Amino acid sequence: MMDENQNEEEVLLVADKDDGGKLKAVDKSAAREGIFRMLLPSMENMDDFVRVSSQSTILEDFFRNLHRQYDRPTDFRFYHIPAALFGTLDVFTDMLRNPEDNKDFIAQYEVNPDDYAKQLPEQQTANGETVSEQTATTEQTGAEQQSAQPVGIENRIDWEQLARLGVTRESLEQSGDLSAVLSGGKSGLVTITTEVEGIPITTQGRIHFAEGKDGKLDLKIDCYRREPALDLPFYGVLLDKEAKDNILATGNAGQPVALPLDGGEPKPCLISLDKVTNNLVAVPVDDILIPMDFKGITFTPEQHRQLSEGRKVLVEGMASQWGSPFDAYMQYNVAKEKFDYNFDGLDRNRYKKQEKEQKAATAQSQTDAQSQAPSQPAANKFFIPKKLLGKELTPEQQEKFGKLETIYVTGMKDRDGQPFNAYVRMNLDRGKPDFFRYNPDKAQSRAREITPTAEHKTQVAVNNGATAEATRHVQRPLKPAQAQPAQVEAAKKAENKKGKGRKI
């Protein structure tokens, strides 16, 4: 199942020995610096994964930096899995638990970092010898480079510091926040306890870690607020009314705001609201990379510019993870580090309606094409009888019958052997002919309005289900102009003759 579509785009996965060999996806934002952040392999994170193909050069950059920054790169095992098969990742994970039994299968998808290390460009040294870029870099930095190499994020966390704040690895694991923290993201709301001059203080907030100076990992805490403090200065800047209204409405300022984030010159920044803590988050516009291609579409230059400025943009014809097209208003949220989607005022069923209309139009065109085709082949689709209810059809009647035209046949006999005449036309839906008293091509409306003549009224009423005392036990239909059963009429005639004989 997993060996299909080998030429399509693939996702780069990694298994870390320090994390029990669990499969994670490499974050594309860190791919060119080596492994700094890994994400859980879930569909909701798909847009953040490193995508590779047979023509991709990102793997060369990735493994080149991996060898430079990690003294034990073999602790990581890498695999490339087709993006279309990402939903069956649990099957592959089960196979990794028994590598010896499935080694031939696993080998199809395993990536060997050494294959890319051998491809590193060589550099010329002063004495004419050649060394790889990796070797040259190592010799230049020496022991300083070795001491600055990072290790896994879990081993770099000061768990004792967290414990003093009332947060442990076990509590993070129980709350489901451990994976997010270890992948470089933020936790959900956790309870934090500390003391200030002997006074215990308890609050809630989100924790995360960031690279600090000298290769240290700094703990960051975003404390919870009951409501956003939009009227207070943010990095010394008061937000204007439009930005505050946008934040309350959408969670995003909707336009760049100049902020002195590092205490220097103000830079254009995007501002979003972290709705978990009600704190504002700001990121310089220059640090945000908006892709040109996204969910099966290519942004226009104007759309790309507006999205980079944090504005809300209508994007049409995107493909969902199930492949169905959809439209949405998109806006980049720096607090979530991904796009927000809004569907207000949009027809969510637009593409379904278009598909339905297209199918109807196709079916209609096929019907029209069949109706315009020569009528002669239609005769081959059903049997054209030479006789119809005992009446032999003329060649002309057979030809018209085969063309689905109405014919008039006299002298046919019903199940009781009574002769009758009728208009006949083949019904393809029923697979047998229909019989009409009146010509259905000319007098359908008139036929519904015609009433029987006086001499036929009793016959029509009785034969259509109406009964009278004289006809209650009649089993056969009355003949034309017949008002009573034959035995009743005979008895009346005999009575009349007796009456005439007694007259003087």
Coordinates of all heavy atoms in Angstrom, one line a residue, residues 103-167:
K103 N 12.9 -5.1 7.6 CA 14.0 -4.3 7.1 C 14.0 -4.0 5.6 O 14.4 -3.0 5.1 CB 15.3 -4.9 7.5 CG 15.5 -6.3 7.0 CD 16.8 -6.9 7.5 CE 17.1 -8.3 6.9 NZ 18.3 -8.9 7.4
D104 N 13.5 -5.0 4.8 CA 13.5 -4.8 3.4 C 12.5 -3.7 3.0 O 12.7 -2.9 2.1 CB 13.1 -6.1 2.6 CG 14.2 -7.2 2.8 OD1 15.4 -6.7 3.0 OD2 13.9 -8.3 2.7
F105 N 11.3 -3.7 3.7 CA 10.3 -2.7 3.4 C 10.8 -1.3 3.9 O 10.6 -0.3 3.2 CB 9.0 -3.1 4.1 CG 7.9 -2.2 3.8 CD1 7.1 -2.3 2.7 CD2 7.6 -1.1 4.6 CE1 6.0 -1.5 2.4 CE2 6.6 -0.2 4.4 CZ 5.8 -0.4 3.3
I106 N 11.3 -1.3 5.1 CA 11.8 0.0 5.6 C 12.9 0.6 4.8 O 12.9 1.9 4.6 CB 12.2 -0.2 7.1 CG1 11.1 -0.6 8.0 CG2 12.9 1.1 7.7 CD1 11.4 -1.0 9.4
A107 N 13.7 -0.2 4.2 CA 14.9 0.3 3.5 C 14.4 1.1 2.3 O 15.2 2.0 1.8 CB 15.7 -0.9 3.0
Q108 N 13.2 0.9 1.8 CA 12.7 1.7 0.6 C 12.5 3.1 0.9 O 12.6 4.0 0.1 CB 11.4 1.1 0.1 CG 11.4 -0.4 -0.3 CD 10.0 -0.9 -0.6 OE1 9.4 -0.4 -1.6 NE2 9.5 -1.8 0.1
Y109 N 12.3 3.4 2.2 CA 11.9 4.8 2.6 C 13.0 5.5 3.5 O 12.8 6.6 3.8 CB 10.6 4.8 3.4 CG 9.4 4.2 2.5 CD1 9.1 2.8 2.7 CD2 8.8 5.0 1.6 CE1 8.1 2.3 1.9 CE2 7.8 4.4 0.8 CZ 7.4 3.1 1.0 OH 6.4 2.6 0.2
E110 N 14.0 4.7 3.9 CA 15.0 5.3 4.8 C 15.9 6.2 4.0 O 16.3 5.9 2.9 CB 15.8 4.2 5.5 CG 16.7 4.7 6.6 CD 17.2 3.6 7.5 OE1 16.9 2.4 7.2 OE2 17.8 4.0 8.5
V111 N 16.3 7.3 4.7 CA 17.3 8.3 4.1 C 18.6 8.2 4.9 O 18.6 8.2 6.1 CB 16.7 9.7 4.2 CG1 17.7 10.7 3.6 CG2 15.4 9.8 3.5
N112 N 19.7 8.0 4.2 CA 21.0 7.9 4.8 C 21.7 9.2 4.7 O 22.1 9.7 3.6 CB 21.8 6.8 4.1 CG 23.1 6.6 4.8 OD1 23.4 7.2 5.8 ND2 24.0 5.7 4.2
P113 N 21.9 9.9 5.9 CA 22.6 11.2 5.8 C 23.9 11.2 5.2 O 24.4 12.2 4.6 CB 22.6 11.6 7.3 CG 21.5 10.9 8.0 CD 21.5 9.6 7.2
D114 N 24.6 10.0 5.3 CA 26.0 10.0 4.8 C 26.0 10.1 3.3 O 27.0 10.5 2.7 CB 26.6 8.6 5.2 CG 26.9 8.6 6.7 OD1 27.1 9.6 7.3 OD2 27.0 7.5 7.2
D115 N 24.9 9.7 2.6 CA 24.8 9.9 1.2 C 24.9 11.3 0.8 O 25.5 11.7 -0.3 CB 23.5 9.2 0.6 CG 23.5 7.7 0.8 OD1 24.6 7.1 1.0 OD2 22.4 7.2 0.8
Y116 N 24.4 12.2 1.6 CA 24.4 13.6 1.3 C 25.7 14.2 1.8 O 26.2 15.2 1.2 CB 23.2 14.3 1.9 CG 21.9 13.9 1.3 CD1 21.2 12.8 1.8 CD2 21.4 14.5 0.2 CE1 20.1 12.4 1.2 CE2 20.2 14.1 -0.4 CZ 19.6 13.0 0.1 OH 18.4 12.6 -0.5
A117 N 26.3 13.7 2.9 CA 27.6 14.2 3.3 C 28.7 14.0 2.3 O 29.6 14.8 2.2 CB 28.0 13.5 4.7
K118 N 28.6 12.8 1.6 CA 29.6 12.6 0.5 C 29.5 13.5 -0.6 O 30.4 13.7 -1.4 CB 29.4 11.1 0.0 CG 29.7 10.1 1.1 CD 29.4 8.7 0.6 CE 29.6 7.6 1.6 NZ 29.3 6.3 1.2
Q119 N 28.3 14.2 -0.8 CA 28.1 15.1 -1.9 C 28.6 16.5 -1.6 O 28.4 17.4 -2.4 CB 26.6 15.1 -2.3 CG 26.1 13.8 -2.7 CD 24.6 13.8 -3.0 OE1 24.0 14.8 -3.0 NE2 24.0 12.6 -3.1
L120 N 29.1 16.8 -0.3 CA 29.4 18.1 0.1 C 30.6 18.6 -0.8 O 31.5 17.9 -1.1 CB 29.9 18.2 1.5 CG 28.8 17.8 2.6 CD1 29.4 17.8 3.9 CD2 27.6 18.7 2.4
P121 N 30.5 19.9 -1.3 CA 31.6 20.4 -2.2 C 32.9 20.4 -1.5 O 33.0 20.7 -0.3 CB 31.1 21.8 -2.5 CG 30.2 22.1 -1.4 CD 29.5 20.9 -1.0
E122 N 34.0 20.2 -2.2 CA 35.3 20.2 -1.6 C 35.9 21.5 -1.7 O 35.7 22.3 -2.7 CB 36.2 19.1 -2.3 CG 35.7 17.7 -2.1 CD 36.6 16.7 -2.8 OE1 37.3 17.0 -3.7 OE2 36.5 15.5 -2.3
Q123 N 36.8 21.9 -0.8 CA 37.5 23.1 -0.8 C 39.0 22.9 -0.9 O 39.6 21.9 -0.4 CB 37.2 23.9 0.5 CG 35.8 24.3 0.7 CD 35.5 25.0 2.0 OE1 36.4 25.0 2.8 NE2 34.3 25.6 2.1
Q124 N 39.7 23.8 -1.5 CA 41.1 23.8 -1.7 C 41.8 24.4 -0.5 O 41.5 25.5 -0.1 CB 41.5 24.5 -3.0 CG 43.0 24.3 -3.4 CD 43.1 23.0 -4.2 OE1 42.1 22.4 -4.6 NE2 44.3 22.5 -4.2
T125 N 42.8 23.6 0.1 CA 43.5 24.1 1.2 C 44.8 24.8 0.7 O 45.1 24.8 -0.4 CB 43.9 23.0 2.2 OG1 44.7 22.1 1.5 CG2 42.7 22.3 2.7
A126 N 45.6 25.4 1.7 CA 46.7 26.2 1.3 C 47.8 25.3 0.7 O 48.6 25.8 -0.1 CB 47.3 26.9 2.6
N127 N 48.0 24.1 1.2 CA 49.0 23.2 0.7 C 48.6 22.4 -0.5 O 49.2 21.4 -0.9 CB 49.5 22.3 1.8 CG 48.4 21.4 2.4 OD1 47.3 21.5 1.9 ND2 48.7 20.7 3.4
G128 N 47.4 22.7 -1.1 CA 46.9 22.0 -2.3 C 46.0 20.9 -2.0 O 45.5 20.3 -3.0
E129 N 45.9 20.4 -0.8 CA 45.0 19.3 -0.5 C 43.6 19.8 -0.5 O 43.3 21.0 -0.4 CB 45.3 18.7 0.9 CG 46.7 18.2 1.0 CD 47.0 17.6 2.4 OE1 46.2 17.8 3.3 OE2 48.1 17.0 2.6
T130 N 42.6 18.8 -0.7 CA 41.2 19.2 -0.7 C 40.5 18.5 0.5 O 40.8 17.4 0.9 CB 40.6 18.7 -2.0 OG1 40.8 17.2 -2.1 CG2 41.2 19.3 -3.2
V131 N 39.6 19.3 1.1 CA 38.8 18.7 2.2 C 37.4 19.1 1.9 O 37.1 20.0 1.2 CB 39.3 19.3 3.5 CG1 40.6 18.8 3.9 CG2 39.2 20.8 3.5
S132 N 36.4 18.4 2.5 CA 35.0 18.7 2.3 C 34.7 19.9 3.1 O 35.4 20.4 4.0 CB 34.2 17.5 2.8 OG 34.3 17.4 4.2
E133 N 33.6 20.5 2.8 CA 33.1 21.7 3.5 C 32.9 21.4 5.0 O 33.3 22.3 5.8 CB 31.8 22.2 2.9 CG 31.3 23.5 3.6 CD 29.9 23.9 3.0 OE1 29.7 23.5 1.8 OE2 29.2 24.6 3.7
Q134 N 32.4 20.3 5.3 CA 32.2 19.9 6.7 C 33.5 19.8 7.4 O 33.7 20.3 8.5 CB 31.5 18.5 6.7 CG 31.3 18.1 8.2 CD 30.9 16.6 8.2 OE1 30.6 16.0 7.2 NE2 30.9 16.1 9.4
T135 N 34.6 19.2 6.8 CA 35.9 19.0 7.5 C 36.5 20.4 7.7 O 37.1 20.7 8.7 CB 36.8 18.1 6.6 OG1 36.1 16.9 6.4 CG2 38.1 17.9 7.3
A136 N 36.4 21.3 6.6 CA 37.0 22.6 6.7 C 36.4 23.4 7.8 O 37.1 24.1 8.6 CB 36.9 23.3 5.4
T137 N 35.1 23.3 7.9 CA 34.5 24.1 9.0 C 34.9 23.6 10.4 O 35.1 24.4 11.3 CB 32.9 23.9 8.8 OG1 32.6 24.3 7.5 CG2 32.2 24.8 9.8
T138 N 35.0 22.2 10.5 CA 35.3 21.7 11.8 C 36.8 22.1 12.2 O 37.0 22.4 13.4 CB 35.2 20.2 11.8 OG1 33.9 19.8 11.4 CG2 35.6 19.5 13.1
E139 N 37.7 22.1 11.2 CA 39.1 22.4 11.5 C 39.2 23.9 11.9 O 40.0 24.3 12.7 CB 40.0 22.1 10.3 CG 40.1 20.6 10.1 CD 41.0 20.3 8.9 OE1 41.3 21.3 8.2 OE2 41.4 19.2 8.7
Q140 N 38.3 24.8 11.3 CA 38.4 26.2 11.6 C 37.9 26.5 13.0 O 38.4 27.4 13.7 CB 37.6 27.0 10.5 CG 38.2 26.9 9.2 CD 37.2 27.5 8.1 OE1 36.2 28.0 8.5 NE2 37.6 27.4 6.9
T141 N 36.9 25.8 13.4 CA 36.3 26.1 14.7 C 36.9 25.4 15.9 O 36.9 25.9 17.0 CB 34.8 25.8 14.6 OG1 34.6 24.5 14.3 CG2 34.1 26.7 13.6
G142 N 37.4 24.1 15.6 CA 38.0 23.4 16.7 C 37.1 23.1 17.8 O 36.0 22.8 17.7
A143 N 37.8 23.2 19.0 CA 37.0 22.8 20.2 C 35.9 23.7 20.5 O 34.9 23.3 21.1 CB 38.0 22.8 21.4
E144 N 36.0 25.0 20.1 CA 34.9 25.9 20.3 C 33.6 25.4 19.6 O 32.5 25.6 20.2 CB 35.3 27.3 19.8 CG 34.2 28.4 20.0 CD 34.6 29.7 19.5 OE1 35.8 29.8 19.0 OE2 33.8 30.6 19.5
Q145 N 33.8 24.9 18.4 CA 32.6 24.4 17.6 C 32.0 23.2 18.4 O 30.8 23.1 18.5 CB 33.0 24.0 16.2 CG 31.9 23.4 15.4 CD 30.9 24.4 15.0 OE1 31.1 25.6 15.1 NE2 29.7 23.9 14.5
Q146 N 32.9 22.3 18.9 CA 32.4 21.2 19.6 C 31.6 21.5 20.8 O 30.5 21.0 21.1 CB 33.5 20.3 20.0 CG 34.3 19.6 18.8 CD 33.4 18.6 18.1 OE1 32.5 18.0 18.7 NE2 33.6 18.4 16.8
S147 N 32.0 22.5 21.6 CA 31.3 22.9 22.8 C 30.0 23.6 22.5 O 29.2 23.6 23.4 CB 32.3 23.8 23.6 OG 32.5 25.0 22.9
A148 N 29.9 24.2 21.3 CA 28.6 24.9 21.0 C 27.6 24.1 20.4 O 26.5 24.6 20.1 CB 29.0 26.1 20.1
Q149 N 27.8 22.8 20.2 CA 26.9 21.9 19.5 C 25.7 21.7 20.4 O 25.8 21.3 21.6 CB 27.5 20.6 19.1 CG 28.5 20.7 18.0 CD 29.3 19.5 17.8 OE1 29.2 18.6 18.6 NE2 29.9 19.4 16.6
P150 N 24.5 21.9 19.9 CA 23.3 21.7 20.7 C 22.9 20.2 20.8 O 23.3 19.4 20.0 CB 22.2 22.4 20.0 CG 22.6 22.4 18.6 CD 24.1 22.5 18.6
V151 N 22.2 19.8 21.8 CA 21.7 18.5 22.0 C 20.2 18.6 22.0 O 19.6 19.6 21.8 CB 22.2 17.8 23.3 CG1 23.7 17.7 23.2 CG2 21.9 18.7 24.5
G152 N 19.5 17.4 22.2 CA 18.1 17.4 22.1 C 17.4 18.4 23.1 O 18.0 18.6 24.2
I153 N 16.3 18.9 22.7 CA 15.7 20.0 23.5 C 15.3 19.4 24.9 O 15.4 20.1 25.9 CB 14.5 20.6 22.8 CG1 13.9 21.8 23.6 CG2 13.4 19.6 22.6 CD1 12.8 22.5 22.9
E154 N 14.9 18.2 25.0 CA 14.5 17.6 26.3 C 15.6 17.6 27.3 O 15.5 17.8 28.4 CB 13.9 16.2 26.1 CG 13.4 15.6 27.4 CD 12.6 14.3 27.1 OE1 12.6 13.9 26.0 OE2 12.0 13.8 28.1
N155 N 16.8 17.3 26.8 CA 18.0 17.2 27.6 C 18.5 18.6 28.0 O 19.3 18.7 29.0 CB 19.1 16.4 27.0 CG 18.7 14.9 26.8 OD1 17.9 14.4 27.5 ND2 19.3 14.3 25.7
R156 N 18.1 19.6 27.3 CA 18.6 20.9 27.6 C 17.6 21.7 28.5 O 17.9 22.8 28.9 CB 18.7 21.7 26.3 CG 19.7 21.1 25.3 CD 19.7 21.8 24.0 NE 20.1 23.2 24.0 CZ 19.8 24.1 23.1 NH1 19.2 23.7 22.0 NH2 20.2 25.3 23.3
I157 N 16.5 21.2 28.8 CA 15.5 21.8 29.7 C 15.9 21.7 31.1 O 16.3 20.6 31.6 CB 14.1 21.3 29.5 CG1 13.6 21.6 28.1 CG2 13.1 21.8 30.5 CD1 12.2 21.0 27.8
D158 N 15.9 22.8 31.8 CA 16.2 22.7 33.3 C 14.9 22.3 34.0 O 14.0 23.1 34.4 CB 16.6 24.1 33.7 CG 17.1 24.1 35.2 OD1 16.9 23.1 35.9 OD2 17.8 25.1 35.6
W159 N 14.7 21.0 34.2 CA 13.5 20.5 34.8 C 13.4 20.9 36.3 O 12.3 21.0 36.8 CB 13.5 18.9 34.6 CG 13.3 18.5 33.2 CD1 14.3 18.0 32.4 CD2 12.2 18.6 32.4 NE1 13.8 17.7 31.1 CE2 12.5 18.1 31.1 CE3 10.9 19.1 32.7 CZ2 11.5 18.0 30.1 CZ3 9.9 19.0 31.6 CH2 10.3 18.5 30.4
E160 N 14.5 21.1 36.9 CA 14.5 21.5 38.3 C 13.9 22.9 38.4 O 13.1 23.2 39.4 CB 15.9 21.5 38.9 CG 16.5 20.1 39.1 CD 17.8 20.1 39.7 OE1 18.3 21.2 40.1 OE2 18.4 19.0 39.9
Q161 N 14.3 23.8 37.5 CA 13.7 25.1 37.5 C 12.2 25.1 37.3 O 11.5 25.8 38.0 CB 14.4 25.9 36.4 CG 13.8 27.4 36.2 CD 14.2 28.1 35.0 OE1 14.5 27.4 34.0 NE2 14.3 29.4 35.0
L162 N 11.7 24.2 36.4 CA 10.3 24.1 36.2 C 9.6 23.5 37.4 O 8.5 24.0 37.7 CB 10.0 23.2 34.9 CG 10.1 23.8 33.6 CD1 9.8 22.8 32.5 CD2 9.1 24.9 33.4
A163 N 10.3 22.6 38.0 CA 9.7 22.0 39.2 C 9.5 23.0 40.3 O 8.5 23.0 41.1 CB 10.5 20.8 39.7
R164 N 10.4 24.0 40.4 CA 10.2 25.0 41.4 C 9.0 25.9 41.1 O 8.5 26.6 42.0 CB 11.5 25.9 41.5 CG 12.7 25.1 42.1 CD 13.8 26.1 42.5 NE 14.4 26.7 41.3 CZ 15.4 26.2 40.6 NH1 16.0 25.0 41.0 NH2 15.9 26.8 39.5
L165 N 8.6 25.9 39.9 CA 7.4 26.7 39.5 C 6.1 25.8 39.5 O 5.1 26.3 39.1 CB 7.6 27.2 38.1 CG 8.7 28.2 37.9 CD1 8.9 28.6 36.4 CD2 8.5 29.5 38.7
G166 N 6.3 24.6 40.0 CA 5.1 23.7 40.1 C 4.8 22.9 38.8 O 3.7 22.4 38.7
V167 N 5.7 22.9 37.9 CA 5.5 22.2 36.6 C 6.6 21.1 36.5 O 7.8 21.4 36.6 CB 5.7 23.2 35.4 CG1 5.4 22.5 34.1 CG2 4.7 24.4 35.5

